[in-house]
Coordinates of all heavy atoms in Angstrom, one line a residue:
T101 N -6.5 17.2 -10.8 CA -7.7 16.5 -10.2 C -7.2 15.0 -10.1 O -6.7 14.4 -11.0 CB -9.0 16.6 -11.0 OG1 -10.0 15.9 -10.4 CG2 -8.8 16.2 -12.4
C102 N -7.5 14.4 -9.0 CA -7.3 13.0 -8.7 C -8.7 12.4 -8.4 O -9.4 12.8 -7.6 CB -6.4 12.7 -7.6 SG -4.7 13.4 -7.9
A103 N -9.0 11.3 -9.1 CA -10.3 10.6 -9.0 C -10.2 9.2 -9.3 O -9.3 8.7 -9.9 CB -11.3 11.4 -9.9
N104 N -11.2 8.5 -9.0 CA -11.4 7.0 -9.2 C -11.8 6.9 -10.7 O -12.8 7.5 -11.1 CB -12.3 6.4 -8.3 CG -12.4 4.9 -8.3 OD1 -11.9 4.3 -9.3 ND2 -13.0 4.3 -7.3
F105 N -11.1 6.0 -11.4 CA -11.6 5.8 -12.8 C -12.4 4.6 -13.0 O -12.9 4.3 -14.0 CB -10.3 5.7 -13.7 CG -9.4 4.6 -13.5 CD1 -9.7 3.3 -13.9 CD2 -8.1 4.8 -12.9 CE1 -8.9 2.3 -13.6 CE2 -7.3 3.8 -12.6 CZ -7.6 2.5 -13.0
V106 N -12.6 3.9 -11.9 CA -13.4 2.7 -11.9 C -14.8 2.9 -11.8 O -15.3 3.5 -10.6 CB -12.9 1.6 -10.9 CG1 -13.8 0.4 -10.9 CG2 -11.5 1.3 -11.1
T107 N -15.7 2.7 -12.7 CA -17.1 2.9 -12.6 C -17.8 1.6 -12.3 O -19.0 1.6 -11.8 CB -17.6 3.5 -13.9 OG1 -17.3 2.6 -15.0 CG2 -17.1 4.8 -14.1
D108 N -17.2 0.5 -12.7 CA -17.8 -0.8 -12.4 C -16.7 -1.8 -12.3 O -15.8 -1.8 -13.1 CB -18.7 -1.2 -13.6 CG -19.6 -2.4 -13.3 OD1 -19.2 -3.2 -12.3 OD2 -20.5 -2.7 -14.0
F109 N -16.7 -2.6 -11.3 CA -15.7 -3.6 -11.0 C -15.6 -4.6 -12.2 O -14.5 -5.2 -12.3 CB -15.9 -4.4 -9.7 CG -14.7 -5.1 -9.2 CD1 -13.6 -4.4 -8.5 CD2 -14.6 -6.5 -9.4 CE1 -12.5 -5.1 -8.1 CE2 -13.5 -7.2 -9.0 CZ -12.4 -6.5 -8.3
I110 N -16.6 -4.9 -12.9 CA -16.6 -5.8 -14.0 C -16.5 -5.0 -15.3 O -16.9 -5.6 -16.4 CB -17.8 -6.7 -14.0 CG1 -19.1 -5.8 -14.0 CG2 -17.9 -7.6 -12.7 CD1 -20.3 -6.7 -14.2
A111 N -15.9 -3.9 -15.3 CA -15.7 -3.1 -16.5 C -14.8 -3.9 -17.4 O -14.0 -4.8 -17.1 CB -15.1 -1.7 -16.2
E112 N -14.7 -3.4 -18.7 CA -13.9 -4.0 -19.8 C -12.4 -3.9 -19.4 O -11.9 -3.1 -18.6 CB -14.1 -3.2 -21.1 CG -15.5 -3.4 -21.6 CD -15.8 -4.9 -22.1 OE1 -14.8 -5.6 -22.4 OE2 -16.9 -5.3 -22.0
N113 N -11.6 -4.8 -19.9 CA -10.2 -4.9 -19.5 C -9.4 -3.6 -19.9 O -8.6 -3.2 -19.2 CB -9.6 -6.1 -20.3 CG -8.1 -6.3 -20.0 OD1 -7.8 -6.5 -18.8 ND2 -7.2 -6.3 -20.9
D114 N -9.8 -3.0 -21.0 CA -9.1 -1.7 -21.4 C -9.4 -0.5 -20.4 O -8.6 0.4 -20.3 CB -9.4 -1.3 -22.8 CG -8.6 -2.2 -23.8 OD1 -7.5 -2.6 -23.5 OD2 -9.1 -2.3 -25.0
D115 N -10.6 -0.6 -19.8 CA -10.9 0.4 -18.9 C -10.4 0.2 -17.5 O -9.9 1.0 -16.7 CB -12.4 0.6 -18.9 CG -13.0 1.1 -20.1 OD1 -12.3 1.9 -20.8 OD2 -14.2 0.7 -20.5
F116 N -10.5 -1.1 -17.0 CA -10.1 -1.5 -15.7 C -9.5 -2.9 -15.9 O -10.2 -3.8 -15.9 CB -11.2 -1.5 -14.7 CG -10.8 -1.8 -13.3 CD1 -9.5 -1.6 -12.9 CD2 -11.7 -2.4 -12.4 CE1 -9.1 -2.0 -11.6 CE2 -11.4 -2.6 -11.1 CZ -10.1 -2.4 -10.6
P117 N -8.1 -2.9 -16.1 CA -7.5 -4.2 -16.4 C -7.9 -5.4 -15.4 O -7.9 -5.1 -14.2 CB -6.0 -3.9 -16.3 CG -5.9 -2.4 -16.5 CD -7.1 -1.8 -16.0
H118 N -8.1 -6.5 -16.1 CA -8.5 -7.7 -15.2 C -7.4 -8.1 -14.2 O -7.7 -8.5 -13.1 CB -8.8 -8.9 -16.1 CG -9.9 -8.7 -17.1 ND1 -11.1 -8.0 -16.7 CD2 -10.1 -9.2 -18.3 CE1 -11.8 -7.9 -17.7 NE2 -11.4 -8.7 -18.7
A119 N -6.1 -7.9 -14.6 CA -5.0 -8.1 -13.7 C -5.0 -7.2 -12.5 O -4.8 -7.6 -11.3 CB -3.7 -7.9 -14.4
W120 N -5.5 -5.9 -12.7 CA -5.6 -5.0 -11.6 C -6.8 -5.3 -10.7 O -6.8 -5.0 -9.5 CB -5.7 -3.6 -12.1 CG -4.4 -3.1 -12.8 CD1 -3.3 -3.8 -13.0 CD2 -4.1 -1.8 -13.3 NE1 -2.4 -3.2 -13.7 CE2 -2.9 -1.9 -13.9 CE3 -4.8 -0.7 -13.3 CZ2 -2.2 -0.7 -14.4 CZ3 -4.3 0.5 -13.9 CH2 -3.0 0.4 -14.4
K121 N -7.8 -5.9 -11.3 CA -8.9 -6.4 -10.4 C -8.5 -7.4 -9.4 O -8.8 -7.4 -8.3 CB -10.1 -6.9 -11.2 CG -10.7 -6.0 -12.2 CD -11.7 -6.6 -13.2 CE -12.2 -5.6 -14.2 NZ -13.1 -6.3 -15.2
A122 N -7.6 -8.4 -10.0 CA -7.1 -9.5 -9.1 C -6.2 -8.8 -8.1 O -6.1 -9.3 -6.9 CB -6.4 -10.5 -10.0
T123 N -5.4 -7.8 -8.5 CA -4.5 -7.1 -7.6 C -5.3 -6.5 -6.4 O -4.8 -6.6 -5.3 CB -3.7 -6.0 -8.3 OG1 -2.9 -6.7 -9.4 CG2 -2.7 -5.3 -7.4
V124 N -6.3 -5.8 -6.8 CA -7.2 -5.2 -5.7 C -7.7 -6.2 -4.7 O -7.6 -6.0 -3.5 CB -8.4 -4.4 -6.4 CG1 -9.4 -4.0 -5.3 CG2 -7.9 -3.2 -7.2
I125 N -8.1 -7.3 -5.2 CA -8.6 -8.4 -4.4 C -7.6 -8.9 -3.4 O -7.8 -9.1 -2.2 CB -9.3 -9.6 -5.2 CG1 -10.5 -9.1 -6.0 CG2 -9.6 -10.7 -4.3 CD1 -11.0 -10.1 -6.9
C126 N -6.4 -9.1 -4.0 CA -5.2 -9.6 -3.1 C -4.9 -8.6 -2.1 O -4.7 -9.0 -0.9 CB -4.0 -9.9 -4.1 SG -4.2 -11.3 -5.1
F127 N -4.8 -7.3 -2.4 CA -4.5 -6.3 -1.4 C -5.5 -6.1 -0.4 O -5.3 -5.8 0.8 CB -4.0 -5.0 -2.1 CG -2.7 -5.1 -2.7 CD1 -2.4 -4.8 -4.0 CD2 -1.6 -5.4 -1.9 CE1 -1.2 -4.8 -4.6 CE2 -0.3 -5.5 -2.4 CZ -0.1 -5.1 -3.8
A128 N -6.8 -6.2 -0.8 CA -7.9 -6.0 0.1 C -7.9 -7.1 1.1 O -8.1 -6.9 2.3 CB -9.3 -6.1 -0.7
L129 N -7.7 -8.4 0.7 CA -7.5 -9.5 1.7 C -6.3 -9.3 2.6 O -6.4 -9.6 3.8 CB -7.5 -10.8 0.9 CG -8.7 -11.3 0.1 CD1 -8.5 -12.5 -0.6 CD2 -9.9 -11.5 1.1
A130 N -5.2 -8.9 2.0 CA -4.0 -8.7 2.8 C -4.3 -7.6 3.8 O -3.8 -7.7 5.0 CB -2.9 -8.3 1.9
A131 N -4.9 -6.5 3.4 CA -5.2 -5.4 4.4 C -6.1 -5.9 5.5 O -5.9 -5.4 6.7 CB -5.9 -4.3 3.6
L132 N -7.1 -6.7 5.1 CA -7.9 -7.3 6.2 C -7.1 -8.1 7.2 O -7.4 -8.0 8.4 CB -9.1 -8.1 5.5 CG -10.1 -8.8 6.5 CD1 -10.8 -7.7 7.3 CD2 -11.0 -9.6 5.7
L133 N -6.3 -9.0 6.7 CA -5.5 -9.8 7.6 C -4.5 -9.0 8.4 O -4.3 -9.2 9.6 CB -4.7 -10.8 6.7 CG -5.5 -11.9 6.0 CD1 -4.6 -12.8 5.1 CD2 -6.2 -12.8 7.1
L134 N -3.9 -8.0 7.8 CA -3.0 -7.1 8.5 C -3.7 -6.3 9.5 O -3.1 -6.1 10.6 CB -2.3 -6.2 7.5 CG -1.2 -6.8 6.6 CD1 -0.7 -5.8 5.6 CD2 0.0 -7.4 7.4
T135 N -4.9 -5.9 9.3 CA -5.7 -5.2 10.3 C -6.0 -6.1 11.5 O -5.9 -5.7 12.7 CB -7.0 -4.7 9.7 OG1 -6.7 -3.7 8.6 CG2 -7.8 -3.9 10.8
T136 N -6.3 -7.4 11.2 CA -6.5 -8.3 12.2 C -5.2 -8.6 13.1 O -5.3 -8.6 14.3 CB -7.0 -9.7 11.6 OG1 -8.2 -9.5 10.8 CG2 -7.2 -10.7 12.7
S137 N -4.1 -8.7 12.4 CA -2.9 -8.9 13.1 C -2.5 -7.7 13.9 O -1.9 -7.8 15.0 CB -1.8 -9.3 12.1 OG -1.4 -8.2 11.3
M138 N -2.8 -6.5 13.4 CA -2.5 -5.3 14.1 C -3.3 -5.3 15.5 O -2.8 -4.9 16.5 CB -2.9 -4.1 13.3 CG -2.6 -2.7 13.9 SD -3.1 -1.3 12.9 CE -4.9 -1.6 12.8
I139 N -4.6 -5.6 15.4 CA -5.4 -5.7 16.6 C -4.9 -6.7 17.6 O -4.8 -6.5 18.8 CB -6.9 -6.0 16.2 CG1 -7.5 -4.8 15.4 CG2 -7.7 -6.2 17.4 CD1 -8.8 -5.1 14.8
M140 N -4.5 -7.9 17.0 CA -4.0 -8.9 17.9 C -2.6 -8.5 18.6 O -2.4 -8.8 19.7 CB -3.8 -10.2 17.1 CG -5.1 -10.9 16.5 SD -4.8 -12.3 15.5 CE -4.2 -13.5 16.8
S141 N -1.8 -7.8 17.8 CA -0.6 -7.3 18.3 C -0.8 -6.4 19.5 O 0.0 -6.4 20.5 CB 0.4 -6.7 17.3 OG -0.3 -5.5 16.8
A142 N -1.8 -5.5 19.4 CA -2.2 -4.6 20.5 C -2.7 -5.4 21.6 O -2.4 -5.1 22.8 CB -3.2 -3.6 20.0
M143 N -3.5 -6.4 21.3 CA -4.0 -7.3 22.4 C -2.9 -8.1 23.2 O -3.1 -8.4 24.4 CB -5.1 -8.3 21.9 CG -6.3 -7.7 21.4 SD -7.4 -8.9 20.5 CE -7.5 -10.1 21.8
S144 N -1.8 -8.3 22.5 CA -0.7 -9.1 23.1 C -0.1 -8.4 24.3 O 0.5 -9.1 25.1 CB 0.4 -9.3 22.1 OG 1.0 -8.1 21.7
L145 N -0.4 -7.1 24.5 CA 0.1 -6.4 25.7 C -0.7 -6.9 26.9 O -0.3 -6.6 28.1 CB 0.0 -4.9 25.5 CG 0.7 -4.3 24.3 CD1 0.5 -2.8 24.2 CD2 2.3 -4.5 24.5
F146 N -1.9 -7.4 26.7 CA -2.8 -7.8 27.9 C -3.0 -9.3 27.8 O -3.2 -9.9 28.9 CB -4.1 -7.1 27.7 CG -4.0 -5.6 27.5 CD1 -4.0 -5.1 26.3 CD2 -3.8 -4.8 28.6 CE1 -3.9 -3.7 26.1 CE2 -3.7 -3.4 28.4 CZ -3.7 -2.8 27.2
V147 N -3.0 -10.0 26.7 CA -3.3 -11.3 26.5 C -2.2 -12.1 25.7 O -1.7 -11.6 24.8 CB -4.7 -11.6 25.7 CG1 -5.0 -13.0 25.7 CG2 -5.8 -10.8 26.4
R148 N -1.8 -13.3 26.3 CA -0.8 -14.0 25.6 C -1.3 -15.2 24.8 O -0.5 -15.8 24.1 CB 0.3 -14.4 26.6 CG 1.1 -13.3 27.1 CD 2.3 -13.8 27.9 NE 1.9 -14.3 29.3 CZ 2.7 -14.8 30.1 NH1 4.0 -15.0 29.8 NH2 2.3 -15.2 31.3
S149 N -2.5 -15.5 24.9 CA -3.1 -16.7 24.2 C -4.6 -16.5 23.8 O -5.3 -15.7 24.5 CB -2.9 -18.0 25.0 OG -3.7 -17.9 26.2
V150 N -5.0 -17.1 22.7 CA -6.4 -17.1 22.3 C -6.8 -18.5 22.0 O -6.2 -19.1 21.1 CB -6.5 -16.1 21.1 CG1 -8.0 -16.2 20.6 CG2 -6.1 -14.7 21.4

Side-chain angles (χ1 to χ4, degrees):
T101 178
C102 297
N104 188 345
F105 63 76
V106 178
T107 57
D108 191 345
F109 195 80
I110 58 174
E112 295 293 332
N113 185 57
D114 281 333
D115 293 328
F116 185 23
H118 298 325
W120 292 6
K121 297 173 187 175
T123 300
V124 170
I125 293 174
C126 287
F127 282 125
L129 292 174
L132 179 62
L133 291 176
L134 287 174
T135 301
T136 302
S137 67
M138 179 182 67
I139 296 173
M140 294 178 68
S141 65
M143 291 174 55
S144 67
L145 300 176
F146 310 94
V147 181
R148 285 191 287 177
S149 63
V150 177

